[in-house]
Amino acid sequence: MYIKQVVICGFRSYRNEVVVEPFHPHHNCVVGRNGSGKSNFFLAIQFVLSDEFSHMRPEQRQQLLHEGTGPRVVNAYVEITFDNSDNRIPIEKEEVTIRRVIGFKKDQYFLDKKNVTKTDVMNLLETAGFSRSNPYYIVKQGRINQMAVAPDSQRLKLLREVAGTRVYDERKEESLVILKETEGKIEKIDEFLQYIEERLKTLEEEKEELKEYQKWDRMHRSLEYTMYDKELREVREKLESMEQQRLEEGDRTKDLHIQMATTAGEIKFLERDLKEIEIKAASTRSERDQLADERQLQIRQRAKLELDLKDLNDICNEDQATKGSSAEELAQVEEQIKTAQETLNRIIPQFHQQKEIEETCNSNLRVNEQRRTELYAKKGRNQEFTDQKKRDEWIRSELKSYGSNLSDKEEALKTVEREITEAKEKITRIDEDVKERTDNLEDRKKEIEETNKELGEAKIKRDEVQNKRKELWRQDSNYEQSLNTSKEQLDEAERQLRSTVSKAFNNGIDAIKKIVRDKNINGVYGPLIENFKCNEKFFTAVEVTAGNRLFYIIVDTDKTASQILSIMNKNKMSGEVNFLPLNRLSTKEVQYPTSNDVIPMVSKLEYNPLFKPAMETIFGKTLICRSLEVASQYARNEHMDCITLDGDQVSRRGALTGGYYDKRKSRLDSQRQVWYWQAKLQEEESNAEKIKKEMEDIDSELSKLVSAVQKLETKQIQLRETYEKQKMDVQNLSVEKKQLEKHLDTKLKTQMSLDGDLTALRGTVASLQQELGTELLSQLTDTEQAEVKDLNKEITSLQSRIRESLEHRSKLEVEKNMYENLLQSNLFKRRDQLTSNIDELGMSERKQEYESKKAEFAQATQSMESTKKRLDWLENELDVYTKKCKDLAGQVEQKRTKEREVQDSIEEESKSMEKMANKRAVKLRKKEEVMRKIRELGSLPADAFEKYQNMSLKELWKLMNKCNTELKKYAHVNKKALDQFVSFSEQKEKLIERKKELDKGLDCIQDLMDVLEQRKHEAIQLTFKQVSHFFTDIFKKLVSGGTATLVMKRSEFDEEGSSLPLVEQFTGVGIKVSFSGKVSETKEMQQLSGGQKSLVALTLIFAIQKCDPAPFYLFDEIDQALDPQHRKSVAELISKQSDSCQFITTTFRPELVQAANKHYGVIYRNKVSHVQQVTMEEALDFIEDEAPDK
């Protein structure tokens, strides 16, 4: 074991935390300047390990705290870590850490970071080898010098400390105190014995007179006893008579209480029935009022529906009439359209024929006129051109121009023809589209009618479901009201049950329920009272037997109970809880007596077999007995607890308890009420849940129906929109067709015009081509002239034909336009309007609405009739409930009257019992007084009980007067002389025995003191021999060839047989040394030089340490005063001894530094000390630097 590490913080010059690196297990040397903190380092270790710093005052604590610049230090600590690999400290750890923390008001020790007491630490260190009697494992600076100059007596005191004589001295002081006390007691006993002897002589003289007095006194007491006995017998007879009367009245009172309890129970059940009937009546009344309001609403709704139905019927009739008239008018319009269309169909071909003739003639006219113009132009060219060449050039130029124009016309004609084709195709497509959309309109019309029908049916079903839901709402409201009432009754029953037990039990049960609910703990079955049932007649017996154990909590195992308790303690939950762990409850099988007078209580309980251990633990050893006498007999014989049905209990240990038990406050009855209302609440919740389930189903069905109605309405709207859109599309397509036909007519005209232009252009081109290259003439050729004449005739004829055709076409066009205008502007529009009206009337929702309203009216009529029937039934039920309530209230009043009568009887019986009790109390006091007087008579003569029993009271008084006269003669006699004589004699014997014991104890104490002196003497001699031996050996090692011895000095009276104790004969320890080894040069301490004294003192310390070795040593500058030739010897000795223990030294000399295994330097900077490891060379350099200072 050795010091491994030291941590210092806030201690003296060490302000900041200083961790000294692990020490070497052998020799460690610390160097540093004076005042740097070396001594404080040793003081810190001593602060933890020694008793020197105990019981310090505040100013002494302050001196240990660092006092430098900066913030004030309020706490300091020193921590030492020991290497415990050899298990010298009895702790199973490789390292043991001891820390001491000190402040202005605290002083704490920590062992491996755990707070311990100082005594624990000191005992632990003493176990490890740190002896309190030998504190020289720490040698502070200057201690060597003190020992060097110490007198012989001081060294003897040191030797005594090392020998451990302090224990013997303490025991001797204790023995001296006891010795003085014993001597004082013996002295007091002697004084008291002397007083007793004198008193016994006086009492011997008074004894003869006392005997005569005692003769008359015995007679007097015998007479008193006889008179008191007669009086006592008379009182007892009267008390027995009163007791018999009290029992009879008690039985009557008991019967009255039973009658009272029975009546109270009947009232409770009647009130409960009355409450239930009132609840039902209130519910029925509420439902009746609700239905009455609902019926009024139904009447108003039915009246409204009736009016709406009438209005819709009128509207439907009007629509039907309008539809008929529209159909007739439509037939007339169709006939007019047919006639106009036939006429128009006859006119249009003629019109187109005349138009074609006109166009053909116009086309031929343009061609002929163009040809004629060309021929006239050819005739005039001789005037335009001078020669043929110019003419041909012009012709070529014109041909080129006509060729381009001809291409444009042909291209335009193709475009027009293509447009005509497209227009015709588009018209064809429009016709097909119109036909398809017209067919779709009919389909949409049918779908709209079917949708209207489905929508009406869906609305009817929806209304039916809504009425059903209203009925369920009404039932749910009734159940909710009943449910709230049951909850209130349950709360009241639970409050009643909670009032029968203390608040602590209630808090405990609430806490357990909360824990079980929050932590989801299994295996908790609740209070005992909730886990069994029994017949009502056994309630009192069961309650009295169990008491507060009815509220003990049944759990499966003790582990569950411990878990709950730990949670309660952790969360600081208040309350008292007691557990019945089923796994720890063991009951022996009980053999119950077979008799008609007793019943095992546990056999009358109904419970789950799982709870059998708990039930047998509480009720297993209890019998229900027919009467108190039977209970007493079976409790005695069967060694079991017995109880009557009235709650009178006889314990198997002999105790008997009983009295009146108020059954109105029965816990089991309260629990039964809780169960009743819980079952009722559960039933009503179940019914309410069923209603809610039906309501959910109805709501689901209603949601589906509403959704279906919405979907059908949406579909209806979409179908109508589609119908209207398609109808509009047909109209738009018809308009588009007409526009296309007009556009087609225009294009056809353009086509004919382009055909004529192309024909003319081609003729002109052909003419110019024929003319090209011909001779330029001034006149036309004969052929050409003949052609001009024919052309003029043809032109004239064509113009005539055009005029005729135009006149005929104009007439046809006027007639065509008239019929077209009649059809388009009048008849077609009217037909479309009438058709639309008829379609609208055919698709109208009014009929469907009428049917829906009709169904609603029928439903409202049916609902109103159903409501009326329900109202009539409720009125009947209300009458029945009212009658029942009246009957029950009358019964309750009768029972209450009876209860009051019984109560009055009980009060009268109570007053009578009270009077009797007062009389009985008087008699009892009289009895007690007589018995007290008999007891005060003391011991009586043997014949006192029978001698005067036959005498009358008068004779007794006569003898009593005679006795009194005789006793007056001995009034001066010491009546206690005999007793005092006996008492003093006994005290004398006891004191003599006590004195013998004290004398024996005194001898034992004296012997013990002698033994202690002898042992102390032996311990000093033994220690002296050991220290002297080690002193001589160590001195020889330190001083080569030198000798040294210790001399025990004794008192000068020792040889003359002094009476001084052996130890007191020692006066001191002297030292004789010779540094040369010669006897003639032997010197004592006073004759040595300073260095020699230090060496001898150091030798003595080494000898003491070897006598009582420690695991490590701390030397603070022990070589300070040594001569140079001896320092090396000391260093070698320390180096050799460090093989078996650890040394930590400080020095200013190189010898110890060179012998050390590890070196540390202490530095003092900014008024703060620091410790750091250094090499031997650095330590030696430091010592050399410090040498001049030393």
Side-chain angles (χ1 to χ4, degrees):
M1 172 186 170
Y2 62 91
I3 295 176
K4 195 170 185 179
Q5 180 178 299
V6 177
V7 180
I8 309 172
C9 181
F11 186 84
R12 294 181 75 90
S13 61
Y14 294 88
R15 175 182 179 81
N16 303 319
E17 184 179 76
V18 175
V19 180
V20 183
E21 292 186 12
F23 286 95
H24 197 276
H26 301 306
H27 187 190
N28 301 270
C29 186
V30 181
V31 296
R33 296 177 182 274
N34 277 331
S36 62
K38 298 192 304 299
S39 298
N40 287 339
F41 175 72
F42 274 34
L43 199 65
I45 298 175
Q46 190 176 0
F47 169 70
V48 177
L49 301 180
S50 72
D51 282 340
E52 188 172 341
F53 296 93
S54 300
H55 310 295
M56 292 183 290
R57 294 189 298 276
E59 58 269 18
Q60 291 174 321
R61 293 171 184 266
Q62 177 65 39
Q63 291 173 4
L64 295 178
L65 300 178
H66 179 80
E67 295 180 348
T69 58
R72 183 182 182 186
V73 175
V74 296
N75 289 320
Y77 66 84
V78 179
E79 180 179 284
I80 301 176
T81 302
F82 295 98
D83 183 287
N84 192 36
S85 55
D86 56 355
N87 287 331
R88 188 160 183 170
I89 297 177
I91 296 177
E92 295 296 328
K93 286 186 178 180
E94 292 290 329
E95 291 184 355
V96 177
T97 301
I98 298 175
R99 172 184 284 204
R100 185 177 180 184
V101 181
I102 193 167
F104 293 118
K105 294 183 179 180
K106 69 176 181 179
D107 187 1
Q108 296 175 309
Y109 283 85
F110 294 89
L111 179 63
D112 288 336
K113 300 182 181 179
K114 294 180 181 177
N115 197 346
V116 294
T117 63
K118 178 183 176 182
T119 305
D120 294 336
V121 173
M122 293 304 162
N123 291 338
L124 190 69
L125 292 173
E126 195 161 352
T127 305
F130 297 93
S131 176
R132 297 187 189 181
S133 61
N134 182 11
Y136 290 98
Y137 61 90
I138 300 176
V139 180
K140 296 191 290 185
Q141 186 176 355
R143 182 62 174 165
I144 303 297
N145 294 334
Q146 290 176 7
M147 289 189 66
V149 298
D152 295 344
S153 59
Q154 187 66 31
R155 282 191 287 274
L156 177 61
K157 185 178 179 182
L158 173 62
L159 193 65
R160 285 187 174 189
E161 289 180 1
V162 175
T165 58
R166 186 191 304 172
V167 177
Y168 299 117
D169 292 336
E170 291 173 355
R171 293 289 299 275
K172 183 178 178 182
E173 289 175 3
E174 293 173 2
S175 299
L176 284 171
V177 171
I178 297 170
L179 186 65
K180 288 180 181 179
E181 290 176 354
T182 305
E183 289 174 347
K185 289 177 182 178
I186 291 171
E187 190 175 338
K188 288 180 181 179
I189 288 171
D190 290 338
E191 291 175 359
F192 199 44
L193 281 172
Q194 186 178 355
Y195 167 74
I196 288 173
E197 286 293 340
E198 293 173 356
R199 188 73 180 123
L200 283 172
K201 290 177 182 179
T202 306
L203 289 172
E204 189 69 34
E205 297 171 357
E206 295 175 352
K207 214 164 43 167
E208 293 302 324
E209 290 182 355
L210 182 62
K211 285 180 181 179
E212 192 64 26
Y213 168 80
Q214 285 177 344
K215 184 183 86 169
W216 289 104
D217 181 64
R218 282 195 295 270
M219 183 178 177
H220 183 270
R221 285 187 289 117
S222 297
L223 289 170
E224 279 187 329
Y225 169 75
T226 304
M227 295 170 72
Y228 291 151
D229 185 55
K230 286 180 179 294
E231 189 176 358
L232 183 61
R233 287 177 185 175
E234 183 181 350
V235 171
R236 281 176 176 169
E237 287 174 1
K238 289 183 179 179
L239 281 172
E240 287 175 2
S241 173
M242 287 181 179
E243 181 64 19
Q244 185 63 32
Q245 190 177 353
R246 187 187 67 81
L247 290 173
E248 291 173 358
E249 291 188 359
D251 291 338
R252 286 197 298 274
T253 305
K254 186 176 180 181
D255 293 338
L256 288 172
H257 278 298
I258 292 171
Q259 191 176 354
M260 180 89 167
T262 305
T263 305
E266 291 173 352
I267 290 172
K268 186 184 290 184
F269 284 115
L270 285 171
E271 286 180 340
R272 189 181 71 186
D273 294 341
L274 179 61
K275 185 71 176 177
E276 290 182 6
I277 296 296
E278 287 176 347
I279 291 168
K280 289 179 181 178
S283 176
T284 304
R285 193 175 293 106
S286 174
E287 186 178 359
R288 183 199 62 183
D289 296 340
Q290 187 178 352
L291 281 174
D293 296 340
E294 190 174 334
R295 188 166 186 272
Q296 291 298 321
L297 180 64
Q298 287 174 346
I299 290 171
R300 288 195 295 272
Q301 287 178 346
R302 184 176 178 278
K304 185 177 181 302
L305 284 171
E306 190 174 4
L307 292 173
D308 292 345
L309 195 63
K310 186 178 179 183
D311 293 341
L312 282 171
N313 189 28
D314 294 342
I315 291 170
C316 286
N317 290 335
E318 289 177 6
D319 287 347
Q320 194 67 28
T322 304
K323 186 177 180 181
S325 62
S326 296
E328 290 177 1
E329 187 180 354
L330 181 62
Q332 294 175 2
V333 170
E334 288 288 353
E335 187 64 31
Q336 291 176 5
I337 289 172
K338 183 179 178 183
T339 304
Q341 193 69 46
E342 288 175 355
T343 305
L344 189 61
N345 290 338
R346 190 184 73 250
I347 292 171
I348 286 175
Q350 295 177 10
F351 173 77
H352 285 306
Q353 184 181 3
Q354 292 299 321
K355 190 175 181 181
E356 287 177 2
I357 292 171
E358 185 181 350
E359 289 175 354
T360 303
C361 290
N362 282 326
S363 177
N364 291 332
L365 179 63
R366 283 197 305 273
V367 172
N368 289 330
E369 285 179 347
Q370 180 69 26
R371 179 60 182 165
R372 188 179 64 178
T373 302
E374 290 173 358
L375 289 173
Y376 284 153
K378 182 178 178 182
K379 180 181 178 181
R381 283 194 187 96
N382 61 346
Q383 295 176 359
E384 293 180 15
F385 303 101
T386 56
D387 55 14
Q388 180 181 350
K389 185 178 179 181
K390 289 182 180 179
R391 186 202 65 183
D392 289 344
E393 289 178 358
W394 178 82
I395 290 173
R396 287 188 188 94
S397 171
E398 285 295 312
L399 284 172
K400 188 175 180 181
S401 174
Y402 282 133
S404 176
N405 195 10
L406 187 62
S407 299
D408 292 339
K409 291 288 184 182
E410 288 176 348
E411 188 65 31
L413 182 61
K414 288 180 181 178
T415 302
V416 170
E417 288 175 347
R418 186 171 64 252
E419 288 177 352
I420 290 170
T421 303
E422 289 176 354
K424 287 180 178 179
E425 290 176 354
K426 202 165 185 180
I427 289 170
T428 304
R429 287 198 301 272
I430 288 172
D431 289 336
E432 293 174 353
D433 203 2
V434 168
K435 186 175 182 303
E436 182 181 356
R437 289 179 185 274
T438 304
D439 295 337
N440 284 340
L441 279 174
E442 292 298 323
D443 296 338
R444 292 288 178 273
K445 187 175 178 182
K446 291 179 182 178
E447 286 184 19
I448 288 171
E449 291 176 354
E450 291 175 358
T451 303
N452 287 339
K453 186 177 180 182
E454 290 177 6
L455 182 60
E457 293 174 354
K459 285 183 177 179
I460 291 170
K461 191 157 186 183
R462 179 196 63 187
D463 294 340
E464 290 176 355
V465 173
Q466 281 180 338
N467 291 332
K468 192 174 180 181
R469 185 174 66 170
K470 286 179 183 178
E471 180 63 27
L472 288 175
W473 276 345
R474 191 182 302 111
Q475 294 180 17
D476 183 58
S477 176
N478 293 336
Y479 277 121
E480 281 293 331
Q481 186 177 357
S482 178
L483 205 61
N484 291 333
T485 305
S486 297
K487 285 180 180 177
E488 290 174 3
Q489 292 297 320
L490 177 60
D491 292 341
E492 179 62 30
E494 287 179 344
R495 278 195 297 273
Q496 182 68 27
L497 179 61
R498 289 172 69 91
S499 67
T500 63
V501 71
S502 66
K503 185 178 179 181
F505 269 99
N506 286 324
N507 291 340
I509 292 171
D510 293 341
I512 288 174
K513 288 181 179 178
K514 185 177 186 304
I515 290 168
V516 171
R517 184 175 61 253
D518 295 346
K519 303 294 182 180
N520 196 21
I521 299 175
N522 296 321
V524 180
Y525 304 111
L528 179 71
I529 194 173
E530 296 178 3
N531 291 286
F532 74 89
K533 293 181 180 179
C534 66
N535 193 290
E536 184 179 0
K537 66 181 179 180
F538 300 116
F539 276 5
T540 302
V542 172
E543 283 187 43
V544 172
T545 299
N548 283 336
R549 291 181 295 176
L550 286 171
F551 299 94
Y552 284 11
I553 308 300
I554 300 177
V555 293
D556 54 355
T557 62
D558 53 342
K559 185 177 180 182
T560 303
S562 300
Q563 182 183 1
I564 292 171
L565 286 175
S566 64
I567 294 172
M568 287 183 68
N569 292 331
K570 182 179 179 181
N571 296 331
K572 296 182 179 178
M573 293 179 168
S574 62
E576 178 182 348
V577 290
N578 298 273
F579 292 99
L580 293 171
L582 297 175
N583 68 322
R584 299 297 295 274
L585 298 177
S586 58
T587 56
K588 296 179 181 178
E589 187 152 352
V590 180
Q591 295 295 327
Y592 296 106
T594 55
S595 173
N596 294 329
D597 292 332
V598 294
I599 306 170
M601 181 175 286
V602 74
S603 67
K604 293 300 176 182
L605 305 180
E606 300 174 14
Y607 54 85
N608 189 327
L610 177 65
F611 307 136
K612 185 177 180 181
M615 299 301 167
E616 289 186 346
T617 300
I618 304 299
F619 306 106
K621 290 213 167 188
T622 303
L623 299 174
I624 301 175
C625 301
R626 189 181 301 277
S627 64
L628 195 58
E629 293 76 13
V630 175
S632 300
Q633 177 187 346
Y634 277 91
R636 216 169 30 246
N637 297 337
E638 300 294 335
H639 196 64
M640 297 181 75
D641 294 332
C642 298
I643 191 168
T644 65
L645 292 175
D646 298 326
D648 295 330
Q649 195 173 18
V650 181
S651 171
R652 58 179 177 270
R653 296 180 181 83
L656 190 147
T657 55
Y660 172 67
Y661 188 85
D662 191 356
K663 295 182 180 180
R664 290 174 297 180
K665 297 180 180 179
S666 170
R667 294 172 173 177
L668 291 176
D669 185 57
S670 298
Q671 182 63 43
R672 183 174 63 177
Q673 291 296 320
V674 169
W675 280 333
Y676 172 80
W677 288 111
Q678 281 178 346
K680 190 169 181 63
L681 183 64
Q682 189 175 359
E683 180 185 357
E684 290 174 351
E685 284 178 345
S686 176
N687 293 332
E689 194 64 32
K690 288 179 183 177
I691 293 295
K692 289 188 185 297
K693 183 71 174 62
E694 291 181 17
M695 287 176 64
E696 288 176 1
D697 296 339
I698 288 292
D699 287 340
S700 176
E701 185 180 357
L702 184 61
S703 298
K704 291 179 181 177
L705 288 171
V706 170
S707 177
V709 169
Q710 290 174 349
K711 287 180 180 177
L712 287 171
E713 288 176 345
T714 304
K715 183 179 178 182
Q716 185 186 45
I717 293 169
Q718 289 175 348
L719 286 171
R720 281 191 169 279
E721 288 177 352
T722 305
Y723 178 79
E724 294 295 333
K725 186 175 180 300
Q726 288 183 346
K727 192 174 177 182
M728 187 61 68
D729 289 345
V730 169
Q731 293 176 359
N732 292 336
L733 287 171
S734 299
V735 173
E736 186 179 358
K737 180 182 176 184
K738 289 177 182 178
Q739 291 175 352
L740 284 171
E741 286 176 347
K742 288 181 181 179
H743 181 67
L744 184 61
D745 290 342
T746 305
K747 291 298 178 183
L748 287 171
K749 288 178 182 178
T750 304
Q751 184 186 22
M752 291 180 67
S753 176
L754 286 172
D755 283 340
D757 292 343
L758 280 171
T759 303
L761 279 173
R762 289 189 186 102
T764 303
V765 169
S767 176
L768 287 173
Q769 286 177 345
Q770 289 176 0
E771 187 179 356
L772 184 64
T774 61
E775 185 179 358
L776 181 62
L777 298 175
S778 60
Q779 293 292 329
L780 296 172
T781 62
D782 295 337
T783 306
E784 291 174 341
Q785 288 179 359
E787 186 179 357
V788 168
K789 288 181 181 180
D790 293 336
L791 287 172
N792 288 329
K793 290 179 181 179
E794 184 68 25
I795 288 170
T796 303
S797 173
L798 287 172
Q799 288 175 344
S800 174
R801 288 174 63 188
I802 286 170
R803 282 193 298 273
E804 291 175 359
S805 177
L806 180 62
E807 184 179 354
H808 192 209
R809 184 179 67 81
S810 297
K811 292 180 182 178
L812 290 172
E813 186 173 6
V814 169
E815 192 175 355
K816 179 179 81 68
N817 290 337
M818 182 186 71
Y819 280 107
E820 283 181 349
N821 188 44
L822 176 65
L823 287 170
Q824 297 296 333
S825 301
N826 188 2
L827 294 177
F828 283 163
K829 287 183 178 180
R830 183 59 181 165
R831 183 187 66 182
D832 293 342
Q833 184 179 0
L834 289 170
T835 304
S836 176
N837 290 338
I838 292 169
D839 290 342
E840 285 292 330
L841 291 171
M843 292 186 297
S844 176
E845 297 175 3
R846 287 170 182 165
K847 186 175 181 180
Q848 188 63 39
E849 188 177 357
Y850 174 75
E851 294 297 330
S852 176
K853 289 288 183 182
K854 189 175 180 180
E856 284 183 27
F857 180 75
Q859 182 70 31
T861 303
Q862 184 181 356
S863 298
M864 195 168 69
E865 291 174 357
S866 175
T867 303
K868 187 175 182 305
K869 289 180 182 179
R870 179 69 179 172
L871 270 172
D872 294 339
W873 183 84
L874 288 173
E875 287 290 349
N876 293 332
E877 284 293 306
L878 201 56
D879 291 340
V880 172
Y881 289 149
T882 304
K883 186 177 180 182
K884 284 185 179 179
C885 283
K886 190 175 180 181
D887 294 342
L888 287 171
Q891 293 179 29
V892 169
E893 187 59 35
Q894 289 177 2
K895 295 294 182 183
R896 289 199 183 280
T897 303
K898 184 179 178 182
E899 187 181 30
R900 284 193 292 273
E901 291 173 356
V902 173
Q903 184 66 36
D904 293 341
S905 300
I906 289 173
E907 288 177 0
E908 289 176 3
E909 290 291 335
S910 178
K911 289 177 182 177
S912 176
M913 290 283 283
E914 187 176 355
K915 290 178 182 177
M916 188 182 296
N918 292 334
K919 291 179 182 178
R920 187 170 179 272
V922 171
K923 293 297 181 185
L924 284 172
R925 284 196 296 273
K926 182 68 175 174
K927 177 185 173 184
E928 289 296 326
E929 184 180 356
V930 172
M931 292 178 71
R932 178 179 56 78
K933 288 178 178 179
I934 290 173
R935 285 194 300 272
E936 287 176 355
L937 292 175
S939 59
L940 296 170
D943 58 352
F945 302 101
E946 298 177 358
K947 186 174 180 180
Y948 304 105
Q949 289 295 331
N950 297 326
M951 288 185 179
S952 63
L953 197 60
K954 187 175 180 181
E955 293 172 338
L956 291 172
W957 275 112
K958 189 175 180 181
L959 285 175
M960 179 69 74
N961 291 331
K962 184 179 178 182
C963 284
N964 289 334
T965 304
E966 290 296 328
L967 286 172
K968 285 178 182 179
K969 297 176 183 179
Y970 302 100
H972 65 283
V973 173
N974 182 8
K975 300 176 180 61
K976 296 183 180 179
L978 189 59
D979 293 337
Q980 289 175 353
F981 183 82
V982 174
S983 175
F984 280 119
S985 299
E986 291 175 353
Q987 288 183 21
K988 179 181 177 182
E989 292 175 1
K990 289 179 181 177
L991 288 172
I992 291 170
E993 284 293 325
R994 179 63 177 154
K995 185 181 178 185
K996 288 179 181 178
E997 292 175 3
L998 290 174
D999 290 338
K1000 187 177 179 181
L1002 193 65
D1003 295 338
C1004 292
I1005 293 169
Q1006 195 64 48
D1007 293 341
L1008 176 62
M1009 292 174 64
D1010 294 340
V1011 170
L1012 290 174
E1013 283 293 324
Q1014 182 65 33
R1015 288 184 180 175
K1016 186 165 71 169
H1017 178 264
E1018 293 172 355
I1020 292 174
Q1021 283 188 327
L1022 178 61
T1023 305
F1024 174 75
K1025 289 177 182 178
Q1026 290 178 337
V1027 173
S1028 179
H1029 173 70
F1030 291 132
F1031 179 76
T1032 302
D1033 289 346
I1034 292 170
F1035 189 80
K1036 287 179 181 179
K1037 293 177 181 177
L1038 295 176
V1039 180
S1040 179
T1043 60
T1045 57
L1046 293 179
V1047 179
M1048 179 65 77
K1049 294 185 176 182
R1050 299 176 183 269
S1051 172
E1052 59 183 3
F1053 304 104
D1054 185 17
E1055 296 178 357
E1056 300 175 3
S1058 173
S1059 61
L1060 288 172
L1062 294 173
V1063 177
E1064 300 301 328
Q1065 295 173 6
F1066 301 135
T1067 59
V1069 177
I1071 299 176
K1072 293 182 179 181
V1073 296
S1074 173
F1075 283 84
S1076 62
K1078 298 178 181 179
V1079 178
S1080 58
E1081 296 181 2
T1082 301
K1083 298 178 182 179
E1084 294 188 356
M1085 283 292 285
Q1086 295 82 357
Q1087 298 171 327
L1088 299 177
S1089 65
Q1092 290 174 338
K1093 286 181 180 179
S1094 297
L1095 181 63
V1096 172
L1098 187 58
T1099 304
L1100 181 58
I1101 287 176
F1102 278 128
I1104 291 171
Q1105 289 175 346
K1106 200 160 186 180
C1107 183
D1108 187 7
F1112 61 85
Y1113 298 97
L1114 278 68
F1115 291 163
D1116 188 5
E1117 296 185 23
I1118 59 170
D1119 58 350
Q1120 180 181 10
L1122 291 179
D1123 295 330
Q1125 65 268 27
H1126 298 136
R1127 285 200 293 268
K1128 188 171 183 181
S1129 299
V1130 171
E1132 289 175 353
L1133 180 63
I1134 290 175
S1135 179
K1136 186 176 181 181
Q1137 290 188 1
S1138 66
D1139 293 337
S1140 58
C1141 58
Q1142 185 186 44
F1143 282 86
I1144 301 176
T1145 62
T1146 64
T1147 185
F1148 281 100
R1149 306 301 181 193
E1151 287 80 9
L1152 281 178
V1153 174
Q1154 292 169 351
N1157 300 102
K1158 211 165 188 179
H1159 306 81
Y1160 299 90
V1162 180
I1163 304 171
Y1164 191 69
R1165 288 197 298 264
N1166 299 326
K1167 297 184 179 180
V1168 177
S1169 297
H1170 304 275
V1171 181
Q1172 61 187 17
Q1173 186 178 355
V1174 297
T1175 63
M1176 182 189 295
E1177 290 75 15
E1178 290 173 337
L1180 290 171
D1181 291 342
F1182 182 81
I1183 287 172
E1184 289 175 2
D1185 293 340
E1186 287 293 307
D1189 297 337
K1190 293 299 289 183

